[in-house]
Amino acid sequence: MTTPDALGAALPGNTHHTPGGALRRLPLPPSPPHRITSEAEALQAAQTLADEWRVDAAARDHERRLPWQEIERYTASGLGAITVPRAYGGLGASYETLAQVFVTLCAADPSLGQIPQNHFAVLQNLRDMGSEPQKRRWFADVLAGHRLGNAGPERKGRAAHVLEATARLSRDAEGGLRVSGTRFYSTGSAFAHWVPFRAQDEEGRIVQVWVRRDAPGVTVFDDWDSFGQRTTASGSVQLDQVQVQPEDVVPAWQFEATPSLSGPVSQLIQASIDAGIAQGALRDAVDFVRDKSRPWMDSGVARASDDPHLIHEVGQLQIEVDAAHAVLLEAARTLDALAAAAGGAVDEQASAQASVAVAEAKILTTEAALQAGEHLFALAGSSASRAAHRLDRHWRNARVHTLHDPVRWKYHLLGNYLLNGALPRRHQWN
């Protein structure tokens, strides 16, 4: 029997969790995690977690079991703090290591592996936009075991486009700051200690507001009902006159014209998740063909794994998955080189180069994830479609996560840069 995650208790013997109302459960208070001291140790920690997560990944997806205990294990490992800069007491891990950590985790369970995406994207935002006191405080919090979520873009019924900030910051009768609004696509907020989000201040300017997950007026809803990435808890956050301290507001509007790596880093993480999905799907396809599939009657072989057509197709798919992974890591190394050359303050050309490099990776990882998730069944045969094997989760996860932002615009970004020298627009999706 699973632990109940939403309103009410699970029925005895019923492990399937249906999306519902407000989450009563709060994350455990932060506790100091293990301090990772090298990038090699970070990669090993990711592999150790991935080996654990893979065991129950299919069951978590089938039962829609929110991974409370797994997230605590992840935080205790110290992986959540690896990109905190050395100047603030962290490891200052490279973007290449960050990408590889996400690939490794998401090859095991991409829903669980996706949950920290906003944590690391917000850490990059903090590096690019935070004041020195904000950096010192929030980097220290992360080193102490705090998780960061995100109250994401609103749905179309409430916002015309994804960049529109529907939350509003205002003054109460006593002159204090309050924020109200609703947000959606809030991956990680259910498990977070801090929930940052975009809002408009009293003058209509864009700011980033940080609120505590357990603050009065903050409600996280367990209403993510997608057919893929089912346990990311990427649903709604409601903000009802939540008290905000002035030091918890980042003036994002002041940085709208400032080039940065925030967008490319966010996109690098998304591409890494897709690369992991592709690797996990291909791994399970190969295992199934080797251990469970029957050879086709005209093949003249005793084992499906000796079928020359399957051998060719597996080899071709492996090349596509490996190529996507290689370009992903090359894009990450490009970001590392640009950041090092600029000392952390990139110019317009460097920011554009980063976006272009990551766009190439995003195109290939998107296609590899979709190909691996769908072609799995052509390789493994009709028996692989049986519900007992739960292999459909690979395609469902690939199809849903690759919708994060339309890959057709990555082709446009790349071609327009090469043909016309057009610099990509700067936002979290580029």
Side-chain angles (χ1 to χ4, degrees):
M1 180 174 173
T2 56
T3 303
D5 294 312
L7 288 173
L11 295 174
N14 179 15
T15 58
H16 189 91
H17 175 57
T18 301
L23 279 165
R24 285 178 175 171
R25 183 169 183 168
L26 293 172
L28 295 176
S31 59
H34 171 70
R35 186 66 64 90
I36 292 176
T37 58
S38 72
E39 303 203 26
E41 185 184 359
L43 295 175
Q44 182 55 56
Q47 188 60 60
T48 298
L49 282 177
D51 292 342
E52 296 175 7
W53 290 0
R54 186 185 177 193
V55 175
D56 291 327
R60 278 191 297 271
D61 172 82
H62 179 68
E63 298 165 8
R64 199 183 173 277
R65 188 197 316 157
L66 299 187
W68 295 97
Q69 293 180 352
E70 290 82 359
I71 286 297
E72 293 297 340
R73 281 276 296 115
Y74 161 83
T75 303
S77 75
L79 282 173
I82 61 172
T83 62
V84 173
R86 289 185 178 275
Y88 298 90
L91 174 63
S94 66
Y95 296 121
E96 182 179 1
T97 291
L98 178 64
Q100 188 56 49
V101 164
F102 270 93
V103 172
T104 300
L105 296 177
C106 292
D109 184 342
S111 291
L112 182 45
Q114 184 188 343
I115 288 171
Q117 67 174 30
N118 290 319
H119 173 98
F120 286 102
V122 168
L123 285 178
Q124 183 66 40
N125 290 165
L126 183 59
R127 291 174 69 167
D128 292 335
M129 300 188 303
S131 66
E132 277 304 309
Q134 288 171 333
K135 291 178 183 179
R136 287 194 297 271
R137 178 166 64 125
W138 283 322
F139 284 142
D141 278 356
V142 170
L143 289 170
H146 293 242
R147 291 186 294 271
L148 314 179
N150 177 51
E154 189 47 87
R155 287 178 283 193
K156 184 180 177 181
R158 297 179 182 271
H161 57 78
V162 295
L163 288 176
E164 183 176 344
T166 56
R168 298 291 187 273
L169 196 63
S170 59
R171 299 277 175 182
D172 59 23
E174 288 74 38
L177 290 173
R178 301 274 176 170
V179 67
S180 294
T182 58
R183 309 292 285 168
F184 197 65
Y185 298 111
S186 303
T187 304
S189 288
F191 312 99
H193 301 102
W194 283 101
V195 181
F197 55 91
R198 285 167 62 89
Q200 288 188 36
D201 68 8
E202 295 171 290
E203 299 179 46
R205 301 173 302 191
I206 298 298
V207 293
Q208 186 186 66
V209 180
W210 290 49
V211 298
R212 297 292 302 180
R213 165 71 175 85
D214 58 358
V218 176
T219 306
V220 176
F221 288 86
D222 184 26
D223 56 354
W224 177 247
D225 59 357
S226 171
F227 64 74
Q229 297 296 94
R230 288 159 49 86
T231 61
T232 59
S234 298
S236 303
V237 173
Q238 181 176 300
L239 308 154
D240 184 12
Q241 291 294 302
V242 181
Q243 189 171 20
V244 177
Q245 300 303 318
E247 59 267 26
D248 295 340
V249 179
V250 179
W253 61 273
Q254 293 182 359
F255 299 89
E256 289 177 348
T258 303
S260 75
L261 293 180
S262 279
V265 169
S266 178
Q267 283 291 291
L268 182 75
I269 293 169
Q270 306 306 329
S272 301
I273 294 168
D274 294 335
I277 293 173
Q279 290 186 11
L282 178 56
R283 176 200 60 219
D284 281 359
V286 169
D287 288 348
F288 198 95
V289 170
R290 185 189 296 118
D291 300 332
K292 296 184 175 67
S293 293
R294 293 183 297 187
W296 184 240
M297 65 187 74
D298 295 331
S299 67
V301 297
R303 301 183 307 170
S305 59
D306 290 329
D307 183 325
H309 293 292
L310 292 183
I311 290 172
H312 173 87
E313 291 175 33
V314 166
Q316 182 176 6
L317 195 55
Q318 184 70 64
I319 290 170
E320 294 175 9
V321 171
D322 285 347
H325 189 213
V327 173
L328 172 74
L329 296 185
E330 181 61 31
R333 288 191 287 270
T334 297
L335 267 61
D336 285 323
L338 291 170
V346 299
D347 60 18
E348 284 192 348
Q349 288 297 330
S351 179
Q353 290 175 43
S355 290
V356 169
V358 176
E360 290 191 52
K362 186 69 163 57
I363 289 168
L364 292 178
T365 58
T366 293
E367 294 177 350
L370 292 172
Q371 270 283 90
E374 196 277 333
H375 208 57
L376 182 160
F377 299 101
L379 292 171
S382 58
S383 63
S385 67
R386 293 176 56 205
H389 301 303
R390 298 171 183 168
L391 294 175
D392 60 302
R393 73 186 188 278
H394 293 297
W395 181 86
R396 290 188 286 103
N397 289 335
R399 182 62 282 174
V400 168
H401 187 262
T402 56
L403 295 174
H404 181 274
D405 49 279
V407 74
R408 61 183 175 272
W409 280 99
K410 297 294 186 251
Y411 283 102
H412 181 272
L413 180 157
L414 179 58
N416 206 19
Y417 179 79
L418 294 174
L419 283 173
N420 303 314
L423 304 187
R425 291 184 61 195
R426 290 195 297 271
H427 51 64
Q428 291 298 105
W429 292 267
N430 277 346

